[in-house]
Amino acid sequence: MIKAVIFDLDGVLTDTAVYHYQSWKAVAAKFSYNLTEHDNEKLKGVSRADSLNLILEWASVTLPQEEIPQLLQEKNDHYLLLINELGQKDILPGVLDFLTLLESHNCPKAVGSSSKNAPFILEKLGLASRFAAVIDGNGVKNTKPDPEVFLNAALQLQVLPENCLVIEDAPSGIQAAKAAGMKVVGVGHELTEADVCVSSLVGLDWDQIQNL
Ligand code: B16
Ligand code: MG
């Protein structure tokens, strides 16, 4: 039985992938690597530091360790500029209705995100008060696909992992949820490891999540 729902942020509550893409593309261009949208798909759910490592690997570039923090800072400064205008209009379809549905069943909700900007983005979206717990990239040692972020969320909600449902858009997050022993709704396509895959949260209902 599902007694709590844990939401990924980027790609589930709002779509910030294009802003991550633009800011990583600018960083990659510094070492003449043309980051593609296909590359960007593989960065979904992956932490900032791990994303930079992947890009450097794809570009076959090795940088002195001391240059890494500066690049991460530049990427984030650029990203923060791009998301500054984020607001309620950017909440993805079906999200508000689904949150209201869960509230009508007294089902506790949390956010489990790799993003260190999650609290800022939730404030911008006007969603911060809808979640009993927010576990983000600042609060975990091991990032997705490690289950830590979702296990921490379950602990804070005081619900056993087997009674938690995770809603995720990225393969790394789905692997993390499965490793935590949780059910998963995948948002997007070709998320074969999810228990069910939907194109958006529109129409997702209580019986459907209880029968996964
Ligand atoms: P930040 P999620 C993830 O958020 C994004 O999908 C991923 O593209 C990003 O690199 C990561 O957060 C870290 O984000 O640079 O803001 O700390 O999908 O786990 O909510
Ligand atoms: Mg995501």
Side-chain angles (χ1 to χ4, degrees):
M1 184 181 178
I2 299 303
K3 296 182 181 169
V5 177
I6 306 169
F7 293 77
D8 173 54
L9 173 65
D10 289 341
V12 168
L13 299 179
T14 188
D15 192 5
T16 47
V18 63
Y19 307 122
H20 281 297
Y21 176 49
Q22 286 172 20
S23 31
W24 279 130
K25 203 170 171 63
V27 169
K30 284 178 165 256
F31 35 86
S32 306
Y33 181 69
N34 179 29
L35 189 83
T36 65
E37 285 188 43
H38 179 74
D39 292 333
N40 195 55
E41 282 302 306
K42 296 185 206 146
L43 300 179
K44 287 185 176 174
V46 177
S47 72
R48 199 181 309 164
D50 289 348
S51 297
L52 180 57
N53 283 336
L54 277 176
I55 295 168
L56 291 171
E57 203 179 299
W58 297 333
S60 305
V61 168
T62 311
L63 290 179
Q65 210 44 41
E66 59 271 20
E67 288 184 25
I68 301 287
Q70 172 67 21
L71 279 180
L72 293 174
Q73 186 65 51
E74 276 177 33
K75 187 272 173 181
N76 199 49
D77 290 346
H78 190 169
Y79 177 66
L80 287 176
L81 276 180
L82 295 177
I83 63 169
N84 197 40
E85 298 306 314
L86 224 55
Q88 286 194 348
K89 63 183 187 324
D90 299 297
I91 298 172
L92 282 172
V95 167
L96 290 174
D97 283 347
F98 188 60
L99 293 176
T100 303
L101 176 86
L102 295 176
E103 282 153 13
S104 74
H105 288 271
N106 292 319
C107 179
K109 312 179 256 34
V111 169
S113 167
S114 298
S115 175
K116 294 185 172 177
N117 296 304
F120 173 72
I121 293 173
L122 287 170
E123 282 298 335
K124 285 261 175 200
L125 298 175
L127 290 179
S129 65
R130 309 283 295 259
F131 298 96
V134 176
I135 314 294
D136 61 25
N138 300 295
V140 289
K141 244 180 39 220
N142 306 297
T143 52
K144 300 171 187 175
D146 190 281
E148 187 179 336
V149 63
F150 295 133
L151 290 174
N152 279 0
L155 210 60
Q156 284 212 20
L157 295 179
Q158 297 186 295
V159 175
L160 289 173
E162 68 219 52
N163 297 125
C164 290
L165 171 70
V166 169
I167 309 204
E168 253 292 350
D169 72 313
S172 61
I174 293 171
Q175 284 162 24
K178 282 284 147 195
M182 300 176 180
K183 295 280 186 201
V184 193
V185 170
V187 183
H189 23 243
E190 291 172 41
L191 299 166
T192 46
E193 290 177 68
D195 294 289
V196 66
C197 192
V198 297
S199 56
S200 77
L201 296 193
V202 174
L204 193 62
D205 69 40
W206 185 251
D207 289 343
Q208 196 179 351
I209 65 172
Q210 293 303 337
N211 290 321
L212 285 174

